[in-house]
Amino acid sequence: MTQIVTPDICDAYPEVAVCDPIFVNYGGQEAFFGPVKTVKCFEDNSLVKQAVAEPGDGAVLVVDAGGSTRCAMLGDMLAEQAAGNGWAGVIMYGCVRDVDILAETDLGIQALGAHPRKSEKRGEGQRDVPVAFAGVDFAPGQWVYADNNGILVAESRLELD
């Protein structure tokens, strides 16, 4: 697999967008990348659950959860399902839970923080729409690259050594 080092990517591709440094790495894969798939929701993870149940094909699920720190939008069961279905990672503009298990899951996961409370399940939200947070716009079809140094967004797949 290609090694992801976001500082090296920034040096080689200065045009990439860089997220504000507000995320914490929680997943068992500290570096991950893939094409962007999006979910926009608020304190309701129904569409996150729906997405991770589908084949990920190496994509990164980018979730605009409104930056809520009042509940978790991803936990161990959904993360394990995502890993089993071939998702490369999840970027959560919100919180996660079950962090000790997430750290052992074969999935890249970055989020704002940890929260023990689960989200609501009302079936609300949108999928595959442009989202914006952390100073960056994300759209389906773009590519995201993430590691312990940060999260980058490129218009298309980058050629990496």
Side-chain angles (χ1 to χ4, degrees):
M1 181 169 161
T2 303
Q3 178 147 353
I4 300 303
V5 182
T6 57
D8 292 348
I9 295 171
C10 282
D11 292 350
Y13 296 94
E15 70 278 8
V16 297
V18 180
C19 287
D20 294 339
I22 58 175
F23 292 91
V24 177
N25 215 339
Y26 288 101
Q29 290 294 323
E30 292 186 344
F32 58 98
F33 71 101
V36 170
K37 302 278 185 160
T38 64
V39 168
K40 185 178 178 85
C41 53
F42 186 74
E43 297 180 1
D44 176 346
N45 74 346
S46 301
L47 295 185
V48 174
K49 181 176 182 179
Q50 181 186 83
V52 301
E54 299 169 1
D57 299 322
V60 175
L61 186 62
V62 176
V63 182
D64 180 355
S68 174
T69 56
R70 297 189 301 200
C71 66
M73 299 291 286
L74 181 81
D76 60 345
M77 292 188 296
L78 294 185
E80 288 172 3
Q81 188 172 28
N85 284 335
W87 290 87
V90 176
I91 295 173
M92 179 64 67
Y93 185 55
C95 293
V96 296
R97 68 184 198 165
D98 306 312
V99 297
D100 296 330
I101 297 169
L102 296 185
E104 297 174 1
T105 303
D106 188 21
L107 184 70
I109 303 168
Q110 293 213 19
L112 297 180
H115 198 293
R117 181 173 288 122
K118 68 180 179 178
S119 79
E120 298 291 323
K121 306 267 190 302
R122 298 181 303 271
E124 297 174 355
Q126 298 172 286
R127 286 186 63 183
D128 301 318
V129 297
V131 298
F133 55 81
V136 172
D137 295 326
F138 298 86
Q142 291 177 320
W143 279 68
V144 68
Y145 298 83
D147 66 7
N148 285 323
N149 294 291
I151 300 171
L152 312 177
V153 182
E155 290 303 314
S156 59
R157 185 175 184 153
L158 303 175
E159 292 298 321
L160 305 177
D161 294 331

mmCIF file of all heavy atoms in Angstrom, residues 22-23 41-42 61-69 73 90-95 110-113 132-135 138:
data_model
loop_
_atom_site.group_PDB
_atom_site.id
_atom_site.type_symbol
_atom_site.label_atom_id
_atom_site.label_comp_id
_atom_site.label_asym_id
_atom_site.label_seq_id
_atom_site.Cartn_x
_atom_site.Cartn_y
_atom_site.Cartn_z
ATOM 1 N N ILE A 22 -8.118 20.293 13.999
ATOM 2 C CA ILE A 22 -9.075 20.093 15.091
ATOM 3 C C ILE A 22 -9.420 18.624 15.307
ATOM 4 O O ILE A 22 -10.209 18.307 16.198
ATOM 5 C CB ILE A 22 -10.366 20.895 14.828
ATOM 6 C CG1 ILE A 22 -11.004 20.493 13.502
ATOM 7 C CG2 ILE A 22 -10.076 22.399 14.862
ATOM 8 C CD1 ILE A 22 -12.350 21.158 13.222
ATOM 9 N N PHE A 23 -8.815 17.726 14.540
ATOM 10 C CA PHE A 23 -9.187 16.317 14.595
ATOM 11 C C PHE A 23 -8.200 15.484 15.406
ATOM 12 O O PHE A 23 -7.022 15.805 15.491
ATOM 13 C CB PHE A 23 -9.296 15.740 13.172
ATOM 14 C CG PHE A 23 -10.447 16.312 12.415
ATOM 15 C CD1 PHE A 23 -10.286 17.442 11.622
ATOM 16 C CD2 PHE A 23 -11.707 15.751 12.507
ATOM 17 C CE1 PHE A 23 -11.352 17.993 10.938
ATOM 18 C CE2 PHE A 23 -12.791 16.303 11.827
ATOM 19 C CZ PHE A 23 -12.610 17.424 11.039
ATOM 20 N N CYS A 41 -25.472 15.130 8.473
ATOM 21 C CA CYS A 41 -26.485 14.776 9.458
ATOM 22 C C CYS A 41 -26.179 15.518 10.756
ATOM 23 O O CYS A 41 -25.091 16.067 10.910
ATOM 24 C CB CYS A 41 -26.499 13.273 9.694
ATOM 25 S SG CYS A 41 -24.877 12.590 10.105
ATOM 26 N N PHE A 42 -27.139 15.513 11.679
ATOM 27 C CA PHE A 42 -26.916 16.192 12.960
ATOM 28 C C PHE A 42 -27.539 15.370 14.077
ATOM 29 O O PHE A 42 -28.763 15.224 14.132
ATOM 30 C CB PHE A 42 -27.494 17.610 12.939
ATOM 31 C CG PHE A 42 -27.175 18.398 14.179
ATOM 32 C CD1 PHE A 42 -25.894 18.882 14.374
ATOM 33 C CD2 PHE A 42 -28.129 18.610 15.147
ATOM 34 C CE1 PHE A 42 -25.580 19.596 15.525
ATOM 35 C CE2 PHE A 42 -27.831 19.330 16.294
ATOM 36 C CZ PHE A 42 -26.547 19.817 16.488
ATOM 37 N N LEU A 61 -15.445 7.823 4.204
ATOM 38 C CA LEU A 61 -16.731 8.427 4.515
ATOM 39 C C LEU A 61 -16.480 9.720 5.286
ATOM 40 O O LEU A 61 -15.948 9.699 6.395
ATOM 41 C CB LEU A 61 -17.591 7.467 5.339
ATOM 42 C CG LEU A 61 -19.020 7.929 5.617
ATOM 43 C CD1 LEU A 61 -19.802 8.098 4.308
ATOM 44 C CD2 LEU A 61 -19.723 6.950 6.542
ATOM 45 N N VAL A 62 -16.847 10.836 4.688
ATOM 46 C CA VAL A 62 -16.679 12.156 5.294
ATOM 47 C C VAL A 62 -18.044 12.575 5.822
ATOM 48 O O VAL A 62 -18.983 12.757 5.051
ATOM 49 C CB VAL A 62 -16.138 13.169 4.264
ATOM 50 C CG1 VAL A 62 -16.062 14.555 4.876
ATOM 51 C CG2 VAL A 62 -14.775 12.719 3.747
ATOM 52 N N VAL A 63 -18.139 12.700 7.158
ATOM 53 C CA VAL A 63 -19.420 12.957 7.805
ATOM 54 C C VAL A 63 -19.435 14.351 8.409
ATOM 55 O O VAL A 63 -18.663 14.655 9.318
ATOM 56 C CB VAL A 63 -19.706 11.916 8.910
ATOM 57 C CG1 VAL A 63 -21.074 12.180 9.543
ATOM 58 C CG2 VAL A 63 -19.630 10.499 8.354
ATOM 59 N N ASP A 64 -20.317 15.200 7.880
ATOM 60 C CA ASP A 64 -20.553 16.516 8.467
ATOM 61 C C ASP A 64 -21.669 16.346 9.488
ATOM 62 O O ASP A 64 -22.847 16.377 9.155
ATOM 63 C CB ASP A 64 -20.942 17.530 7.395
ATOM 64 C CG ASP A 64 -21.200 18.914 7.968
ATOM 65 O OD1 ASP A 64 -21.176 19.070 9.220
ATOM 66 O OD2 ASP A 64 -21.434 19.841 7.179
ATOM 67 N N ALA A 65 -21.266 16.136 10.740
ATOM 68 C CA ALA A 65 -22.220 15.957 11.835
ATOM 69 C C ALA A 65 -22.453 17.280 12.559
ATOM 70 O O ALA A 65 -22.836 17.301 13.733
ATOM 71 C CB ALA A 65 -21.719 14.882 12.786
ATOM 72 N N GLY A 66 -22.185 18.384 11.880
ATOM 73 C CA GLY A 66 -22.444 19.693 12.433
ATOM 74 C C GLY A 66 -21.516 20.105 13.560
ATOM 75 O O GLY A 66 -21.754 21.094 14.231
ATOM 76 N N GLY A 67 -20.457 19.326 13.778
ATOM 77 C CA GLY A 67 -19.516 19.644 14.852
ATOM 78 C C GLY A 67 -20.076 19.385 16.237
ATOM 79 O O GLY A 67 -19.505 19.845 17.233
ATOM 80 N N SER A 68 -21.163 18.637 16.322
ATOM 81 C CA SER A 68 -21.797 18.390 17.619
ATOM 82 C C SER A 68 -20.867 17.610 18.547
ATOM 83 O O SER A 68 -20.246 16.624 18.147
ATOM 84 C CB SER A 68 -23.092 17.595 17.445
ATOM 85 O OG SER A 68 -23.617 17.240 18.713
ATOM 86 N N THR A 69 -20.818 18.060 19.774
ATOM 87 C CA THR A 69 -20.077 17.341 20.816
ATOM 88 C C THR A 69 -21.040 16.849 21.896
ATOM 89 O O THR A 69 -20.648 16.629 23.041
ATOM 90 C CB THR A 69 -18.992 18.247 21.438
ATOM 91 O OG1 THR A 69 -19.605 19.445 21.934
ATOM 92 C CG2 THR A 69 -17.919 18.586 20.419
ATOM 93 N N MET A 73 -21.376 9.744 16.915
ATOM 94 C CA MET A 73 -21.987 9.386 15.636
ATOM 95 C C MET A 73 -21.419 8.100 15.041
ATOM 96 O O MET A 73 -21.884 7.621 14.022
ATOM 97 C CB MET A 73 -21.804 10.529 14.646
ATOM 98 C CG MET A 73 -22.465 11.823 15.097
ATOM 99 S SD MET A 73 -24.248 11.735 15.065
ATOM 100 C CE MET A 73 -24.523 11.814 13.302
ATOM 101 N N VAL A 90 -13.030 6.945 8.069
ATOM 102 C CA VAL A 90 -14.143 7.838 8.367
ATOM 103 C C VAL A 90 -13.560 9.121 8.950
ATOM 104 O O VAL A 90 -12.738 9.067 9.874
ATOM 105 C CB VAL A 90 -15.122 7.209 9.389
ATOM 106 C CG1 VAL A 90 -16.224 8.203 9.762
ATOM 107 C CG2 VAL A 90 -15.713 5.909 8.863
ATOM 108 N N ILE A 91 -13.973 10.243 8.396
ATOM 109 C CA ILE A 91 -13.648 11.544 8.980
ATOM 110 C C ILE A 91 -14.958 12.090 9.524
ATOM 111 O O ILE A 91 -15.918 12.294 8.771
ATOM 112 C CB ILE A 91 -13.019 12.489 7.946
ATOM 113 C CG1 ILE A 91 -11.681 11.910 7.506
ATOM 114 C CG2 ILE A 91 -12.865 13.895 8.528
ATOM 115 C CD1 ILE A 91 -11.029 12.643 6.371
ATOM 116 N N MET A 92 -14.991 12.265 10.849
ATOM 117 C CA MET A 92 -16.224 12.617 11.543
ATOM 118 C C MET A 92 -16.127 14.021 12.131
ATOM 119 O O MET A 92 -15.369 14.236 13.091
ATOM 120 C CB MET A 92 -16.459 11.596 12.670
ATOM 121 C CG MET A 92 -17.701 11.851 13.498
ATOM 122 S SD MET A 92 -19.236 11.706 12.558
ATOM 123 C CE MET A 92 -19.248 9.956 12.182
ATOM 124 N N TYR A 93 -16.872 14.962 11.544
ATOM 125 C CA TYR A 93 -16.961 16.299 12.121
ATOM 126 C C TYR A 93 -18.016 16.234 13.221
ATOM 127 O O TYR A 93 -19.123 16.729 13.114
ATOM 128 C CB TYR A 93 -17.308 17.321 11.040
ATOM 129 C CG TYR A 93 -17.297 18.747 11.531
ATOM 130 C CD1 TYR A 93 -16.183 19.283 12.158
ATOM 131 C CD2 TYR A 93 -18.400 19.564 11.347
ATOM 132 C CE1 TYR A 93 -16.180 20.594 12.608
ATOM 133 C CE2 TYR A 93 -18.404 20.878 11.788
ATOM 134 C CZ TYR A 93 -17.292 21.384 12.425
ATOM 135 O OH TYR A 93 -17.289 22.684 12.874
ATOM 136 N N GLY A 94 -17.635 15.515 14.258
ATOM 137 C CA GLY A 94 -18.475 15.191 15.396
ATOM 138 C C GLY A 94 -17.683 14.233 16.268
ATOM 139 O O GLY A 94 -16.457 14.151 16.151
ATOM 140 N N CYS A 95 -18.380 13.491 17.104
ATOM 141 C CA CYS A 95 -17.703 12.612 18.073
ATOM 142 C C CYS A 95 -17.886 11.133 17.750
ATOM 143 O O CYS A 95 -18.783 10.743 17.009
ATOM 144 C CB CYS A 95 -18.233 12.895 19.475
ATOM 145 S SG CYS A 95 -17.793 14.518 20.110
ATOM 146 N N GLN A 110 -10.861 9.656 12.085
ATOM 147 C CA GLN A 110 -10.522 10.929 12.715
ATOM 148 C C GLN A 110 -11.820 11.611 13.089
ATOM 149 O O GLN A 110 -12.799 11.581 12.329
ATOM 150 C CB GLN A 110 -9.673 11.798 11.785
ATOM 151 C CG GLN A 110 -8.298 11.187 11.557
ATOM 152 C CD GLN A 110 -7.226 12.224 11.379
ATOM 153 O OE1 GLN A 110 -7.370 13.384 11.739
ATOM 154 N NE2 GLN A 110 -6.105 11.798 10.832
ATOM 155 N N ALA A 111 -11.837 12.210 14.287
ATOM 156 C CA ALA A 111 -13.035 12.858 14.803
ATOM 157 C C ALA A 111 -12.638 14.007 15.714
ATOM 158 O O ALA A 111 -11.460 14.157 16.067
ATOM 159 C CB ALA A 111 -13.895 11.847 15.561
ATOM 160 N N LEU A 112 -13.627 14.797 16.123
ATOM 161 C CA LEU A 112 -13.367 15.930 17.003
ATOM 162 C C LEU A 112 -13.070 15.492 18.433
ATOM 163 O O LEU A 112 -12.318 16.159 19.139
ATOM 164 C CB LEU A 112 -14.561 16.883 17.017
ATOM 165 C CG LEU A 112 -14.907 17.556 15.701
ATOM 166 C CD1 LEU A 112 -16.113 18.465 15.879
ATOM 167 C CD2 LEU A 112 -13.710 18.330 15.164
ATOM 168 N N GLY A 113 -13.694 14.402 18.863
ATOM 169 C CA GLY A 113 -13.506 13.960 20.239
ATOM 170 C C GLY A 113 -14.303 12.701 20.499
ATOM 171 O O GLY A 113 -14.912 12.131 19.591
ATOM 172 N N ALA A 132 -18.967 21.147 4.060
ATOM 173 C CA ALA A 132 -17.846 22.030 4.368
ATOM 174 C C ALA A 132 -17.673 22.115 5.882
ATOM 175 O O ALA A 132 -18.656 22.328 6.608
ATOM 176 C CB ALA A 132 -18.075 23.416 3.786
ATOM 177 N N PHE A 133 -16.454 21.912 6.348
ATOM 178 C CA PHE A 133 -16.101 22.097 7.753
ATOM 179 C C PHE A 133 -14.589 22.157 7.855
ATOM 180 O O PHE A 133 -13.880 21.803 6.917
ATOM 181 C CB PHE A 133 -16.690 20.984 8.640
ATOM 182 C CG PHE A 133 -16.334 19.584 8.238
ATOM 183 C CD1 PHE A 133 -15.114 19.017 8.587
ATOM 184 C CD2 PHE A 133 -17.232 18.820 7.523
ATOM 185 C CE1 PHE A 133 -14.793 17.723 8.216
ATOM 186 C CE2 PHE A 133 -16.920 17.506 7.146
ATOM 187 C CZ PHE A 133 -15.692 16.964 7.504
ATOM 188 N N ALA A 134 -14.098 22.628 8.982
ATOM 189 C CA ALA A 134 -12.656 22.714 9.250
ATOM 190 C C ALA A 134 -11.931 23.511 8.161
ATOM 191 O O ALA A 134 -10.774 23.223 7.834
ATOM 192 C CB ALA A 134 -12.041 21.331 9.420
ATOM 193 N N GLY A 135 -12.626 24.499 7.578
ATOM 194 C CA GLY A 135 -12.020 25.365 6.582
ATOM 195 C C GLY A 135 -11.863 24.762 5.203
ATOM 196 O O GLY A 135 -11.171 25.324 4.352
ATOM 197 N N PHE A 138 -15.640 19.614 0.925
ATOM 198 C CA PHE A 138 -15.518 18.217 0.500
ATOM 199 C C PHE A 138 -16.658 17.921 -0.462
ATOM 200 O O PHE A 138 -17.793 18.310 -0.205
ATOM 201 C CB PHE A 138 -15.682 17.250 1.677
ATOM 202 C CG PHE A 138 -14.658 17.377 2.763
ATOM 203 C CD1 PHE A 138 -14.820 18.300 3.787
ATOM 204 C CD2 PHE A 138 -13.559 16.553 2.794
ATOM 205 C CE1 PHE A 138 -13.897 18.402 4.812
ATOM 206 C CE2 PHE A 138 -12.630 16.633 3.822
ATOM 207 C CZ PHE A 138 -12.798 17.564 4.831
#
